[in-house]
Coordinates of all heavy atoms in Angstrom, one line a residue:
M1 N 142.1 194.7 191.2 CA 141.3 195.7 190.6 C 141.7 195.9 189.1 O 140.8 196.0 188.2 CB 141.5 197.0 191.4 CG 140.4 198.0 191.2 SD 138.8 197.4 191.8 CE 137.7 198.5 190.9
Y2 N 142.9 195.9 188.9 CA 143.5 196.0 187.6 C 143.0 194.9 186.7 O 142.6 195.1 185.5 CB 145.0 195.9 187.7 CG 145.8 196.9 186.9 CD1 146.5 198.0 187.5 CD2 145.8 196.9 185.5 CE1 147.1 198.9 186.8 CE2 146.5 197.9 184.8 CZ 147.1 198.9 185.5 OH 147.8 199.8 184.8
R3 N 143.0 193.7 187.2 CA 142.6 192.5 186.5 C 141.1 192.5 186.1 O 140.8 192.1 185.0 CB 142.8 191.3 187.4 CG 144.0 190.5 187.0 CD 144.1 189.2 187.7 NE 145.4 188.6 187.4 CZ 145.8 187.5 188.1 NH1 145.1 187.0 189.1 NH2 146.9 186.9 187.7
L4 N 140.3 193.1 187.0 CA 138.9 193.2 186.7 C 138.6 194.0 185.4 O 137.8 193.6 184.6 CB 138.2 193.8 187.9 CG 136.7 193.6 187.9 CD1 136.2 192.2 188.2 CD2 136.0 194.6 188.9
F5 N 139.3 195.1 185.3 CA 139.2 195.9 184.1 C 139.6 195.2 182.9 O 139.0 195.3 181.8 CB 139.9 197.3 184.3 CG 139.2 198.3 185.2 CD1 139.7 198.7 186.4 CD2 138.0 198.8 184.7 CE1 139.1 199.6 187.1 CE2 137.3 199.7 185.5 CZ 137.9 200.1 186.7
L6 N 140.7 194.5 183.0 CA 141.2 193.7 181.9 C 140.2 192.7 181.5 O 140.0 192.5 180.3 CB 142.5 193.0 182.4 CG 143.5 192.6 181.2 CD1 144.2 193.8 180.7 CD2 144.4 191.6 181.7
I7 N 139.6 192.0 182.4 CA 138.6 190.9 182.1 C 137.4 191.6 181.4 O 136.9 191.1 180.4 CB 138.2 190.1 183.4 CG1 139.4 189.2 183.7 CG2 137.0 189.3 183.1 CD1 139.3 188.7 185.2
I8 N 136.9 192.7 182.0 CA 135.8 193.4 181.4 C 136.1 193.8 180.0 O 135.3 193.7 179.1 CB 135.3 194.6 182.3 CG1 134.7 194.0 183.6 CG2 134.4 195.5 181.6 CD1 134.5 195.1 184.7
G9 N 137.3 194.4 179.8 CA 137.7 194.8 178.5 C 137.7 193.7 177.5 O 137.2 193.8 176.4
L10 N 138.2 192.6 177.9 CA 138.3 191.4 177.1 C 136.9 190.9 176.7 O 136.6 190.5 175.6 CB 139.1 190.3 177.8 CG 140.6 190.4 177.6 CD1 141.3 189.4 178.5 CD2 141.0 190.1 176.1
L11 N 136.0 190.9 177.7 CA 134.6 190.5 177.5 C 133.9 191.4 176.5 O 133.2 190.9 175.6 CB 133.8 190.5 178.8 CG 134.1 189.2 179.7 CD1 133.4 189.4 181.1 CD2 133.6 188.0 179.0
V12 N 134.1 192.7 176.6 CA 133.5 193.6 175.7 C 134.0 193.4 174.3 O 133.3 193.4 173.3 CB 133.8 195.1 176.1 CG1 133.4 196.1 175.0 CG2 133.0 195.4 177.4
L13 N 135.3 193.2 174.2 CA 136.0 192.9 172.9 C 135.4 191.6 172.3 O 135.1 191.6 171.1 CB 137.5 192.7 173.1 CG 138.4 193.0 171.9 CD1 138.5 194.5 171.7 CD2 139.7 192.4 172.1
L14 N 135.2 190.6 173.1 CA 134.7 189.3 172.7 C 133.2 189.5 172.2 O 132.8 189.0 171.1 CB 134.7 188.3 173.8 CG 134.6 186.9 173.4 CD1 135.9 186.4 172.8 CD2 134.2 186.0 174.6
F15 N 132.5 190.3 172.9 CA 131.1 190.6 172.6 C 131.0 191.3 171.2 O 130.2 190.9 170.3 CB 130.5 191.4 173.7 CG 129.0 191.8 173.4 CD1 128.0 190.9 173.5 CD2 128.7 193.1 173.1 CE1 126.7 191.2 173.2 CE2 127.4 193.4 172.8 CZ 126.4 192.5 172.9
V16 N 131.9 192.3 171.0 CA 131.9 193.0 169.7 C 132.2 192.1 168.6 O 131.7 192.1 167.5 CB 132.8 194.2 169.8 CG1 133.1 194.9 168.5 CG2 132.3 195.3 170.8
L17 N 133.2 191.2 168.9 CA 133.7 190.3 167.9 C 132.6 189.3 167.4 O 132.4 189.1 166.3 CB 134.9 189.5 168.4 CG 135.9 189.0 167.4 CD1 136.8 190.1 166.9 CD2 136.8 187.9 168.0
L18 N 131.9 188.8 168.5 CA 130.8 187.8 168.2 C 129.7 188.5 167.4 O 129.1 187.9 166.5 CB 130.3 187.3 169.5 CG 131.2 186.2 170.2 CD1 130.7 185.8 171.5 CD2 131.2 184.9 169.3
K19 N 129.4 189.7 167.8 CA 128.4 190.5 167.1 C 128.7 190.7 165.6 O 127.8 190.5 164.8 CB 128.2 191.8 167.8 CG 126.8 192.2 168.1 CD 126.7 193.4 168.9 CE 125.9 194.5 168.3 NZ 125.8 195.7 169.2
S20 N 129.9 191.0 165.4 CA 130.3 191.2 164.0 C 130.3 189.9 163.2 O 129.9 189.9 162.0 CB 131.7 191.9 163.9 OG 132.7 191.0 164.3
I21 N 130.7 188.8 163.9 CA 130.6 187.5 163.2 C 129.2 187.1 162.9 O 128.9 186.7 161.8 CB 131.3 186.4 164.1 CG1 132.8 186.6 164.1 CG2 131.0 185.0 163.6 CD1 133.6 185.9 165.1
Y22 N 128.3 187.4 163.9 CA 126.9 187.1 163.7 C 126.3 187.9 162.6 O 125.6 187.4 161.7 CB 126.2 187.4 165.0 CG 124.7 187.2 164.9 CD1 124.1 185.9 164.8 CD2 123.8 188.3 165.0 CE1 122.8 185.7 164.7 CE2 122.5 188.1 164.9 CZ 121.9 186.8 164.8 OH 120.6 186.7 164.7
R23 N 126.7 189.1 162.5 CA 126.2 190.0 161.5 C 126.6 189.6 160.1 O 125.9 189.6 159.1 CB 126.6 191.5 161.7 CG 125.6 192.5 161.2 CD 126.1 193.9 161.5 NE 126.0 194.3 162.9 CZ 126.6 195.3 163.4 NH1 127.3 196.1 162.6 NH2 126.5 195.6 164.7
S24 N 127.9 189.2 160.0 CA 128.5 188.8 158.7 C 127.9 187.5 158.2 O 127.7 187.3 157.0 CB 130.0 188.7 158.7 OG 130.4 187.7 159.6
S25 N 127.6 186.6 159.2 CA 127.0 185.3 158.8 C 125.6 185.5 158.4 O 125.1 184.7 157.5 CB 127.1 184.3 160.0 OG 126.2 184.7 161.0
K26 N 124.9 186.5 158.9 CA 123.6 186.8 158.5 C 123.5 187.3 157.1 O 122.7 187.0 156.3 CB 123.0 187.9 159.4 CG 121.7 187.4 160.1 CD 121.3 188.4 161.2 CE 120.0 189.0 160.9 NZ 119.6 190.0 161.9
Q27 N 124.6 188.1 156.7 CA 124.7 188.6 155.4 C 124.9 187.5 154.3 O 124.4 187.6 153.2 CB 125.8 189.7 155.3 CG 125.3 191.0 155.7 CD 126.5 192.0 155.8 OE1 127.7 191.7 155.7 NE2 126.1 193.3 155.9
V28 N 125.6 186.5 154.7 CA 125.9 185.4 153.8 C 124.6 184.6 153.5 O 124.4 184.2 152.4 CB 127.0 184.5 154.5 CG1 127.1 183.2 153.7 CG2 128.3 185.2 154.5
G29 N 123.8 184.6 154.6 CA 122.5 183.8 154.4 C 121.5 184.5 153.5 O 120.6 183.9 153.1
R30 N 121.7 185.8 153.3 CA 120.7 186.5 152.5 C 120.8 186.1 151.0 O 121.9 185.8 150.5 CB 121.0 188.1 152.5 CG 120.3 188.7 153.7 CD 120.3 190.2 153.5 NE 121.6 190.7 153.1 CZ 121.9 192.0 153.2 NH1 121.1 192.9 153.6 NH2 123.1 192.4 152.8
P31 N 119.7 186.1 150.3 CA 119.8 185.7 148.9 C 120.7 186.7 148.1 O 120.6 187.9 148.3 CB 118.3 185.8 148.4 CG 117.6 186.6 149.4 CD 118.4 186.4 150.7
A32 N 121.5 186.1 147.2 CA 122.4 186.9 146.4 C 121.6 187.8 145.4 O 120.6 187.4 144.9 CB 123.4 186.0 145.7
P33 N 122.1 189.0 145.1 CA 121.4 189.9 144.2 C 121.5 189.2 142.8 O 122.4 188.4 142.5 CB 122.2 191.2 144.2 CG 123.5 190.8 144.8 CD 123.3 189.6 145.7
P34 N 120.6 189.5 141.9 CA 120.6 188.9 140.5 C 122.0 189.2 139.9 O 122.5 190.3 139.9 CB 119.5 189.6 139.8 CG 119.1 190.8 140.6 CD 119.5 190.5 142.0
P35 N 122.5 188.2 139.2 CA 123.8 188.4 138.6 C 123.8 189.4 137.5 O 122.9 189.5 136.8 CB 124.2 187.0 138.1 CG 122.9 186.3 137.9 CD 122.0 186.9 139.0
L36 N 124.9 190.1 137.4 CA 125.1 191.1 136.3 C 125.4 190.3 135.0 O 125.7 189.2 135.1 CB 126.3 192.0 136.6 CG 126.1 192.9 137.9 CD1 127.4 193.6 138.3 CD2 125.0 194.0 137.6
D37 N 125.3 191.0 133.9 CA 125.4 190.4 132.6 C 126.8 189.6 132.6 O 126.8 188.5 132.0 CB 125.4 191.5 131.5 CG 124.3 191.1 130.5 OD1 123.4 190.3 130.9 OD2 124.3 191.7 129.4
G38 N 127.8 190.2 133.1 CA 129.1 189.6 133.0 C 129.3 188.4 133.9 O 130.1 187.5 133.6
D39 N 128.4 188.3 134.9 CA 128.5 187.1 135.8 C 127.6 186.0 135.4 O 127.5 185.0 136.0 CB 128.2 187.5 137.2 CG 129.3 188.4 137.8 OD1 130.5 188.2 137.4 OD2 129.0 189.3 138.6
Q40 N 126.8 186.3 134.3 CA 125.8 185.3 133.9 C 126.5 184.0 133.4 O 127.5 184.1 132.7 CB 125.0 185.9 132.7 CG 123.6 185.4 132.6 CD 122.8 186.0 131.5 OE1 123.4 186.8 130.7 NE2 121.6 185.7 131.4
M41 N 125.9 182.9 133.7 CA 126.5 181.6 133.3 C 125.9 181.2 132.0 O 124.7 181.3 131.8 CB 126.3 180.5 134.3 CG 126.9 180.8 135.7 SD 128.7 181.0 135.6 CE 129.2 179.3 135.7
V42 N 126.7 180.9 131.0 CA 126.2 180.5 129.7 C 126.8 179.0 129.4 O 127.8 178.6 129.9 CB 126.7 181.4 128.6 CG1 126.0 182.8 128.7 CG2 128.2 181.7 128.7
Q43 N 126.0 178.3 128.6 CA 126.3 176.9 128.4 C 127.0 176.8 127.0 O 126.6 177.3 126.0 CB 125.1 176.0 128.4 CG 125.5 174.6 128.5 CD 124.3 173.7 128.7 OE1 123.1 174.1 128.4 NE2 124.5 172.5 129.1
D44 N 128.1 176.1 127.1 CA 128.8 175.7 125.9 C 128.0 174.7 125.1 O 127.8 173.6 125.7 CB 130.2 175.2 126.3 CG 131.1 174.9 125.2 OD1 130.6 174.4 124.1 OD2 132.3 175.0 125.3
P45 N 127.6 174.9 123.9 CA 126.8 173.9 123.2 C 127.6 172.7 122.7 O 127.0 171.7 122.4 CB 126.3 174.7 122.0 CG 127.2 175.8 121.8 CD 127.8 176.2 123.1
V46 N 128.9 172.8 122.8 CA 129.7 171.6 122.3 C 129.9 170.6 123.5 O 129.6 169.5 123.3 CB 131.1 172.1 121.8 CG1 132.0 171.0 121.4 CG2 130.8 173.0 120.5
C47 N 130.5 171.1 124.6 CA 130.8 170.2 125.7 C 129.8 170.3 126.8 O 129.8 169.5 127.7 CB 132.2 170.4 126.2 SG 132.5 172.0 126.9
G48 N 128.9 171.3 126.8 CA 127.8 171.4 127.8 C 128.2 172.0 129.1 O 127.5 172.0 130.1
V49 N 129.4 172.5 129.1 CA 130.0 173.1 130.3 C 129.4 174.5 130.5 O 129.2 175.2 129.5 CB 131.5 173.1 130.3 CG1 132.2 174.2 131.2 CG2 132.1 171.7 130.7
F50 N 129.2 174.9 131.7 CA 128.7 176.3 132.0 C 129.9 177.2 132.3 O 130.8 176.8 133.1 CB 127.7 176.3 133.2 CG 126.3 175.9 132.8 CD1 126.0 174.6 132.9 CD2 125.5 176.8 132.3 CE1 124.7 174.2 132.6 CE2 124.2 176.4 131.9 CZ 123.8 175.1 132.1
V51 N 130.0 178.3 131.6 CA 131.1 179.3 131.8 C 130.5 180.7 132.1 O 129.5 181.0 131.5 CB 132.0 179.3 130.6 CG1 133.0 178.1 130.7 CG2 131.3 179.3 129.3
P52 N 131.2 181.5 132.9 CA 130.8 182.9 133.0 C 130.9 183.6 131.7 O 131.8 183.4 131.0 CB 131.7 183.5 134.1 CG 132.5 182.3 134.7 CD 132.4 181.2 133.7
R53 N 129.9 184.4 131.4 CA 129.8 185.1 130.1 C 131.0 185.9 129.8 O 131.5 186.0 128.7 CB 128.5 186.0 130.1 CG 128.1 186.3 128.6 CD 127.0 187.2 128.6 NE 126.8 187.6 127.2 CZ 126.1 187.0 126.3 NH1 125.4 186.0 126.7 NH2 126.0 187.4 125.1
K54 N 131.6 186.5 130.9 CA 132.7 187.4 130.7 C 134.0 186.7 130.3 O 134.9 187.3 129.7 CB 133.0 188.4 131.9 CG 133.2 187.6 133.2 CD 133.4 188.6 134.3 CE 133.4 188.0 135.7 NZ 133.3 188.9 136.7
T55 N 134.1 185.4 130.6 CA 135.3 184.7 130.3 C 135.0 183.7 129.1 O 136.0 183.1 128.6 CB 135.8 183.8 131.5 OG1 134.7 183.0 131.9 CG2 136.2 184.7 132.7
A56 N 133.8 183.6 128.7 CA 133.4 182.8 127.6 C 133.9 183.3 126.2 O 134.1 184.5 126.1 CB 131.9 182.5 127.5
I57 N 134.1 182.4 125.3 CA 134.5 182.9 123.9 C 133.2 182.9 123.1 O 132.5 182.0 123.0 CB 135.5 181.9 123.3 CG1 136.8 182.0 124.0 CG2 135.6 182.1 121.8 CD1 137.8 180.9 123.9
V58 N 132.9 184.2 122.7 CA 131.6 184.4 122.1 C 131.7 184.5 120.6 O 132.7 185.2 120.1 CB 130.9 185.7 122.6 CG1 129.5 185.9 122.0 CG2 130.8 185.6 124.1
Q59 N 130.9 183.8 119.9 CA 130.9 183.8 118.4 C 129.6 184.1 117.9 O 128.6 183.5 118.3 CB 131.4 182.4 118.0 CG 132.5 182.4 116.9 CD 132.9 181.0 116.6 OE1 132.1 180.1 116.4 NE2 134.2 180.8 116.6
Q60 N 129.5 185.1 117.1 CA 128.2 185.5 116.5 C 128.0 184.7 115.2 O 128.8 184.8 114.3 CB 128.2 187.0 116.2 CG 128.4 187.9 117.4 CD 127.1 188.2 118.1 OE1 126.0 187.9 117.6 NE2 127.2 188.8 119.3
V61 N 126.9 184.0 115.2 CA 126.5 183.2 114.0 C 125.1 183.6 113.7 O 124.1 183.2 114.3 CB 126.7 181.7 114.2 CG1 126.3 180.9 112.9 CG2 128.1 181.4 114.6
G62 N 124.9 184.3 112.6 CA 123.6 184.7 112.1 C 122.8 185.4 113.1 O 121.6 185.1 113.3
G63 N 123.4 186.3 113.8 CA 122.7 187.1 114.8 C 122.5 186.4 116.2 O 122.1 187.0 117.1
I64 N 122.9 185.2 116.3 CA 122.8 184.4 117.5 C 124.2 184.3 118.1 O 125.2 183.9 117.3 CB 122.2 183.0 117.3 CG1 120.8 183.2 116.8 CG2 122.2 182.3 118.6 CD1 120.3 181.9 116.1
S65 N 124.4 184.7 119.3 CA 125.8 184.6 119.9 C 125.9 183.2 120.7 O 125.1 182.9 121.5 CB 126.1 185.7 120.8 OG 125.0 185.9 121.8
N66 N 126.9 182.5 120.3 CA 127.2 181.2 120.9 C 128.4 181.4 121.8 O 129.3 182.1 121.4 CB 127.5 180.1 119.9 CG 126.2 179.8 119.1 OD1 125.2 179.3 119.6 ND2 126.3 180.0 117.8
C67 N 128.3 180.9 123.0 CA 129.4 181.0 124.0 C 130.1 179.7 124.2 O 129.4 178.7 124.4 CB 128.8 181.6 125.3 SG 128.0 183.1 125.1
F68 N 131.4 179.7 124.2 CA 132.2 178.5 124.4 C 133.2 178.7 125.5 O 133.6 179.8 125.8 CB 132.9 178.2 123.1 CG 132.0 178.1 121.9 CD1 131.8 179.2 121.1 CD2 131.3 176.9 121.6 CE1 130.9 179.1 120.0 CE2 130.5 176.8 120.5 CZ 130.3 177.9 119.7
C69 N 133.5 177.5 126.1 CA 134.4 177.5 127.2 C 135.9 177.7 126.7 O 136.7 178.3 127.4 CB 134.4 176.2 128.0 SG 135.0 174.8 127.1
S70 N 136.1 177.3 125.5 CA 137.5 177.5 124.9 C 137.5 177.7 123.4 O 136.5 177.4 122.8 CB 138.3 176.3 125.3 OG 137.8 175.1 124.6
Q71 N 138.6 178.1 122.9 CA 138.7 178.3 121.5 C 138.5 177.0 120.8 O 138.0 176.9 119.6 CB 140.1 178.9 121.2 CG 140.2 179.6 119.9 CD 139.4 180.9 119.9 OE1 139.6 181.8 120.7 NE2 138.6 181.1 118.9
E72 N 139.0 175.9 121.4 CA 138.9 174.6 120.9 C 137.4 174.2 120.6 O 137.1 173.7 119.5 CB 139.5 173.6 121.9 CG 140.2 172.4 121.3 CD 140.7 171.5 122.4 OE1 141.0 171.9 123.5 OE2 140.7 170.3 122.1
C73 N 136.5 174.5 121.6 CA 135.1 174.2 121.4 C 134.5 175.1 120.3 O 133.6 174.6 119.6 CB 134.4 174.4 122.7 SG 134.6 173.0 123.8
A74 N 134.9 176.3 120.2 CA 134.4 177.2 119.2 C 134.8 176.7 117.8 O 133.9 176.7 116.9 CB 135.0 178.6 119.4
A75 N 136.0 176.2 117.7 CA 136.5 175.6 116.4 C 135.7 174.4 116.1 O 135.3 174.2 114.9 CB 138.0 175.4 116.5
K76 N 135.4 173.6 117.1 CA 134.7 172.3 116.9 C 133.3 172.6 116.4 O 132.8 171.9 115.6 CB 134.7 171.5 118.2 CG 135.0 170.1 118.1 CD 134.9 169.4 119.4 CE 136.3 169.2 120.0 NZ 136.2 168.5 121.3
F77 N 132.7 173.6 117.0 CA 131.3 174.0 116.7 C 131.3 174.5 115.2 O 130.4 174.2 114.5 CB 130.8 175.1 117.6 CG 129.4 175.5 117.4 CD1 128.4 174.8 117.9 CD2 129.1 176.7 116.7 CE1 127.0 175.1 117.7 CE2 127.8 177.0 116.5 CZ 126.7 176.3 117.0
E78 N 132.3 175.3 114.9 CA 132.4 175.9 113.5 C 132.5 174.7 112.5 O 131.9 174.8 111.5 CB 133.6 176.8 113.5 CG 133.7 177.6 112.2 CD 132.6 178.7 112.0 OE1 131.9 179.0 113.1 OE2 132.3 179.1 110.9
E79 N 133.3 173.7 112.9 CA 133.5 172.6 112.1 C 132.2 171.8 111.8 O 131.9 171.5 110.7 CB 134.5 171.6 112.8 CG 135.7 171.2 111.9 CD 136.6 170.4 112.8 OE1 136.4 169.2 113.1 OE2 137.6 171.0 113.2
Q80 N 131.5 171.6 112.9 CA 130.2 170.9 112.8 C 129.2 171.7 112.0 O 128.4 171.1 111.3 CB 129.6 170.7 114.2 CG 130.3 169.6 115.0 CD 129.9 169.5 116.4 OE1 129.0 170.2 116.8 NE2 130.5 168.6 117.2
R81 N 129.2 173.0 112.1 CA 128.3 173.9 111.5 C 128.5 173.9 110.0 O 127.6 173.9 109.2 CB 128.4 175.3 112.0 CG 127.2 176.2 111.8 CD 127.3 177.5 112.5 NE 128.5 178.2 112.0 CZ 128.5 179.0 110.9 NH1 127.4 179.2 110.3 NH2 129.6 179.6 110.5
T82 N 129.8 173.9 109.6 CA 130.1 174.1 108.2 C 130.1 172.8 107.4 O 130.0 172.7 106.2 CB 131.5 174.8 108.0 OG1 132.4 174.1 108.8 CG2 131.4 176.3 108.4
S83 N 130.3 171.7 108.1 CA 130.4 170.4 107.5 C 129.0 169.8 107.2 O 128.0 170.1 107.8 CB 131.1 169.4 108.4 OG 130.4 169.2 109.5
Ligands
ZN101 ZN1 133.6 173.5 125.8

């Protein structure tokens, strides 16, 4: 008798667990919300690499902001622009 309750209890636990897994996997399948400004991917015009805007190095040139993956690329761009 004791065992029966234990098995039922385990089954219920398993059922709840599976249900939560199913629910979370369904959430993963949903389309992601539009990215916020900080999560936007921007392209480095020097090396062509995409970087998140919040981690990119932004340089304002004549009202246009250029985003770079590193200070190195920003310097390279500046070199090309001024030469
Ligand atoms: Zn770069």
Side-chain angles (χ1 to χ4, degrees):
M1 202 61 197
Y2 227 110
R3 256 189 186 170
L4 193 72
F5 279 117
L6 201 76
I7 287 163
I8 287 167
L10 276 170
L11 279 173
V12 167
L13 203 76
L14 200 75
F15 179 71
V16 169
L17 207 77
L18 282 170
K19 223 169 125 183
S20 68
I21 288 167
Y22 177 68
R23 208 179 290 164
S24 64
S25 70
K26 238 171 114 180
Q27 275 176 344
V28 168
R30 271 195 316 193
L36 296 168
D37 238 17
D39 293 327
Q40 208 180 5
M41 297 301 275
V42 288
Q43 195 176 19
D44 182 326
V46 176
C47 65
V49 155
F50 281 93
V51 282
R53 201 184 171 90
K54 60 183 167 190
T55 58
I57 291 164
V58 182
Q59 228 174 46
Q60 298 274 350
V61 179
I64 300 159
S65 53
N66 292 300
C67 302
F68 304 95
C69 69
S70 63
Q71 201 69 54
E72 213 183 330
C73 280
K76 225 181 264 181
F77 184 81
E78 189 67 21
E79 229 173 79
Q80 284 171 6
R81 198 176 63 87
T82 50
S83 64

